[in-house]
Amino acid sequence: MHPAFSVIFLTTLIGAGQGLFLALFTVESYAAFGLLPMPSGDFYAVGSAIAFVLLVLGLIASFFHLGHPERAWRAAAKWRTSWLSREVIVLPAFMGMVALYGLAHWLGFNPVFAQLPSGAPVNLTAVLGAIAWLLAFALYICTGMIYACLKFLREWHTPLTVINYILLGGASGFSLGAALAAALAPAVMPLLAGWAMIITFLGLVGRSATLIRNARLKPKSTLQTAIGVKHPKIVQKSMGLMGGSFNTREFFHGQKPQRLRAVKWLFLLLAFVAPIILLGMGMSMVAGGVLLSAFVIQYLGLLAERWFFFAQANHPQNLYYQSVA
Amino acid sequence: MTQLALVIDLNVCVGCHACVTNCKEWNTSGAAGPLVDLNPYGKDPTGTFFNRVQTFEVGEFPHTETVHFPKSCLHCEEPPCVPVCPTGASYKRQEDGIVLVDYDKCIGCKYCSWACPYGARELDLHQKVMKKCTLCVDRIYDTTMTAEERRPACVRACPTGARLFGDIHDPESEVSRAIRENGGYQLMPEWGTHPANHYLPRRKTQIRIREDELERADNPLKIDRQLPRPEKAEPALDDVTSW
C-alpha cells in the first residue's frame, strides 16, 4: 500500500494521546487506592490538555485524507457495519471525556459520590476517567480493526494489528506521561517510566511477532486465481493503460526492498530499543529531559513503524498491475 | 431476486479496447459528470476508467497464448466495499444487484478501494469521489431507448460479441446459459465475494468449413464453379510466395 502521511500522523498522534490519558488515569487509580501520593490537579489538567491537543492534531491530520472533508460528518452514518464509522464516533466522544476530565481536575471540582468498601472514593474524576478509559480502549480497537478487518490484506488481517495499536499507542503515551510527571509530579514518575518500559517491551514483542508472521505469509491470491487461467506460467504484458492510474498510485509504496528493510530496523531501534534505554536512564537519574527525548525518539520511531505497516501490506489488486512495482 | 451482470468470453476477446473507449465516452458524458482525463497526450497520462483491458501471456515460448482480459467492477453478491463505507455512499441495489456509489455522499476516504481485492474502484482526481462501473444503470433503464440499446455501453461496443449482459439469477437467461454451458467462473473465488460478473474460459476452437461456404449455394449461374479450382493438396498462394 502507499503510506499516506495523513493516516500515519492520525494513528500515531491519537495513539499517543490515548496512551497519555491512560497514564494519567493509571496514576489516579493508584493514588485513589493509596498506593501513591495523589499528584496535584495541575498534573492531570496539563496532561489532559496535552492529550487533547494530540487528539485534535490527529483529527486535523485525518481530514487531509479525505477528498471531501466538508462531508466528514456523514462518516458517522454506518456504525453498524463500518469500523471507520465507529472510529469517527468514538474519537470525538473520547476527546470530550478527556476535556471534561482535565477540566474537573483543573477546577478542583471533584464531588465524592460514594465510597468503595476498601475506602477508595468514587468521585467525579474517577467516573469521568473510567468512562474515558473505556472509550480509549474502544478507540484503539476501532482504529486497529479498520485495518485488521480487511481480510485479503493479510499482513493486517490478524488480532496482532489491534494488539499492536494498543501497545504502541500506550507505550508512547506512558513515555510522554513519564516526562510530564518528571516536571509536575516527580513522585509518580518512576511508576509511569516503569510502565512505559514494560509496555514498550511488550510492543516490541507484539511487533516482532507480526514481522515474523508476515515474513512467512504465502499469498492466497495468485495471477492464476486473479484471471482464472490455470497455467503455472502467466506474465502480464499490458496493464491496459500507458501512464499511471489510481490503481498504480494507491497500492504501491514505490520504494526498493532495501529501503523497506532499512525502515524496519530503524523503527525497531527508535520505537523500542532506544526508548527503553532512555527511559531506564531517565528514571534512575530523575531527568525530565532524558524522558522527554525518550518520547520524542519513540514517536519518530512510531512514524517509521506506521509507514512500514502500510508499505508492507500487499494488496491483491496489484496482481492486475504487475509491471508497476 | 435479480442480479444483473456481465459475462465476458475470454475465448472471443481480441483486446481491441473498444469496450474501454465506449465506456469512457458514455460515462464521461453522463449525469455524474466527466471522468477525469489528465495529460491525455502527454508523457504521463492518467485518468479514471470504469473498465480496462489487460493482456497476459500464458505459457512458455513458443507454446504461448495471449489472453486479453477485460476487467471492470464485478458487482459482487457479497461486496466487501459496501460494509466498510462509513457514509453509506457505497451501496448494493436490492432490485438488480448493481453496486453503486452515491457521489453526493462519498467523502473520498478511499477505504472502499482498499476493501476491493479486484482494484475495480478509482478515485476521480477532480471530483475527489470514488467512481466505478455502474453497469450503465442510466442506459439499461432508459425507456426512451430501443430494447437493443438498453444494454451497457461496453456490450454495445464489443465487435466480437465477447460481452454478454443479463440476469445471472434467471436460469433461462442468455448469461446463465453461457455460464452453465461454457464453464463460466468467478475471479478470486478464495475471498468469498461471489462476483456477479463471470468469465468464460479459453476453449479449443476448430474451424469447420462446409462445402456451401466455399461455393455459394444460391448462385444460379454457378459462376463459382467456373473459377479455377486448385486441388486441396496443391500449395496455396500463401505457401509459395514470400512477402
Side-chain angles (χ1 to χ4, degrees):
Chain A
M1 301 288 294
H2 177 77
F5 276 101
S6 49
V7 184
I8 292 174
F9 280 115
L10 161 71
T11 55
T12 51
L13 286 169
I14 66 170
Q18 286 158 264
L20 178 56
F21 168 77
L22 292 177
L24 297 178
F25 192 60
T26 304
V27 170
E28 181 165 2
S29 308
Y30 271 71
F33 288 99
L35 300 170
L36 275 181
M38 179 61 93
S40 70
D42 286 354
F43 170 69
Y44 296 108
V46 173
S48 301
I50 295 173
F52 190 78
V53 168
L54 289 172
L55 294 165
V56 170
L57 290 175
L59 191 63
I60 292 170
S62 76
F63 278 84
F64 286 94
H65 194 65
L66 302 183
H68 281 279
E70 79 281 3
R71 297 178 188 164
W73 59 273
R74 287 186 179 276
K78 290 289 166 182
W79 55 272
R80 283 168 197 272
T81 59
S82 172
W83 284 104
L84 180 52
S85 203
R86 291 169 196 165
E87 187 192 40
V88 165
I89 294 168
V90 176
L91 177 56
F94 176 63
M95 288 169 71
M97 292 311 293
V98 170
L100 288 178
Y101 179 78
L103 208 61
H105 272 296
W106 186 51
L107 298 174
F109 179 68
N110 205 359
V112 177
F113 299 130
Q115 205 107 35
L116 289 183
S118 63
V122 179
N123 48 22
L124 178 67
T125 54
V127 173
L128 290 176
I131 297 170
W133 186 89
L134 285 173
L135 287 171
F137 276 97
L139 185 53
Y140 276 134
I141 292 169
C142 290
T143 312
M145 280 306 290
I146 287 174
Y147 307 100
C149 77
L150 299 174
K151 60 184 171 187
F152 45 79
L153 275 159
R154 300 184 68 212
E155 289 84 353
W156 296 350
H157 186 56
T158 158
L160 286 169
T161 299
V162 179
I163 293 170
N164 286 341
Y165 268 80
I166 296 174
L167 289 175
L168 304 192
S172 57
F174 272 76
S175 299
L176 183 56
L180 183 72
L184 293 178
V188 302
M189 186 275 284
L191 171 84
L192 289 180
W195 271 116
M197 287 169 75
I198 293 169
I199 302 171
T200 304
F201 178 73
L202 292 176
L204 176 63
V205 173
R207 197 62 180 92
S208 305
T210 313
L211 287 174
I212 293 166
R213 170 190 180 271
N214 289 355
R216 297 155 61 96
L217 279 182
K218 289 228 164 43
K220 211 168 176 181
S221 284
T222 59
L223 215 37
Q224 280 72 21
T225 68
I227 68 169
V229 175
K230 308 279 180 288
H231 192 287
K233 190 156 193 282
I234 304 175
V235 180
Q236 183 161 36
K237 292 292 171 183
S238 154
M239 297 193 295
L241 47 110
M242 293 161 68
S245 72
F246 175 74
N247 304 79
T248 62
R249 290 187 295 267
E250 181 70 9
F251 302 98
F252 293 95
H253 51 77
Q255 303 292 335
K256 292 198 173 72
Q258 295 93 305
R259 171 74 67 88
L260 223 59
R261 263 199 303 278
V263 172
K264 180 178 77 181
W265 290 110
L266 184 76
F267 87 68
L268 285 174
L269 192 69
L270 290 185
F272 303 111
V273 180
I276 289 179
I277 295 170
L278 287 170
L279 284 165
M281 279 167 56
M283 188 163 70
S284 53
M285 302 186 317
V286 198
V290 179
L291 291 170
L292 189 63
S293 70
F295 167 73
V296 172
I297 288 172
Q298 185 164 43
Y299 183 74
L300 292 176
L302 289 181
L303 290 180
E305 187 278 333
R306 223 30 60 88
W307 185 92
F308 184 87
F309 172 79
F310 285 103
Q312 199 196 20
N314 190 20
H315 200 289
Q317 80 104 39
N318 293 357
L319 289 167
Y320 297 107
Y321 298 88
Q322 295 273 313
S323 38
V324 179
Chain B
M1 207 184 91
T2 310
Q3 172 66 63
L4 297 179
L6 295 170
V7 170
I8 297 165
D9 192 346
L10 296 182
N11 204 40
V12 179
C13 177
V14 293
C16 71
H17 290 248
C19 54
V20 179
T21 315
N22 207 32
C23 165
K24 179 94 168 179
E25 193 282 330
W26 174 260
N27 286 297
T28 208
S29 17
L35 303 177
V36 70
D37 229 343
L38 298 174
N39 213 13
Y41 303 105
K43 196 164 150 268
D44 193 21
T46 186
T48 303
F49 285 78
F50 289 172
N51 181 27
R52 311 259 193 196
V53 179
Q54 306 184 323
T55 303
F56 296 88
E57 187 183 75
V58 177
E60 203 147 355
F61 181 82
H63 306 292
T64 52
E65 259 189 85
T66 303
V67 175
H68 299 292
F69 180 79
K71 174 170 69 74
S72 52
C73 170
L74 306 163
H75 299 279
C76 299
E77 306 209 29
E78 298 291 338
C81 53
V82 170
V84 302
C85 175
T87 66
S90 202
Y91 64 104
K92 186 174 177 72
R93 283 163 45 123
Q94 282 297 314
E95 63 267 36
D96 53 17
I98 300 181
V99 178
L100 288 177
V101 179
D102 184 338
Y103 300 144
D104 295 329
K105 279 188 188 168
C106 177
I107 58 173
C109 70
K110 307 178 199 157
Y111 195 27
C112 58
S113 74
W114 293 8
C116 171
Y118 306 102
R121 301 176 151 249
E122 300 188 17
L123 190 86
D124 193 284
L125 282 176
H126 273 174
Q127 278 178 281
K128 309 275 189 198
V129 293
M130 198 51 76
K131 295 200 170 176
K132 61 178 281 302
C133 160
T134 65
L135 270 184
C136 284
V137 71
D138 51 343
R139 271 187 87 91
I140 58 180
Y141 294 111
D142 187 346
T143 46
T144 63
M145 290 182 169
T146 63
E148 173 65 15
E149 285 173 318
R150 266 182 261 151
R151 290 183 297 156
C154 57
V155 177
R156 293 275 293 155
C158 183
T160 62
R163 304 174 79 99
L164 306 173
F165 168 69
D167 174 15
I168 58 159
H169 282 185
D170 171 9
E172 291 312 309
S173 68
E174 182 192 22
V175 282
S176 295
R177 206 172 303 129
I179 293 168
R180 217 163 41 232
E181 290 171 3
N182 298 305
Y185 63 87
Q186 298 169 318
L187 304 183
M188 293 188 185
E190 62 272 21
W191 300 121
T193 54
H194 299 293
N197 282 11
H198 281 66
Y199 286 79
L200 305 183
R202 308 273 289 190
R203 303 179 286 283
K204 290 280 173 220
T205 32
Q206 300 215 312
I207 301 172
R208 272 162 298 177
I209 300 174
R210 289 186 294 272
E211 199 57 28
D212 65 333
E213 287 174 65
L214 293 170
E215 189 173 308
R216 283 163 56 197
D218 60 343
N219 183 353
L221 299 176
K222 300 291 178 218
I223 289 174
D224 290 355
R225 203 168 282 171
Q226 294 166 19
L227 295 172
R229 169 67 61 84
E231 281 301 309
K232 278 184 179 160
E234 259 182 58
L237 187 65
D238 288 338
D239 301 323
V240 294
T241 58
S242 69
W243 297 88

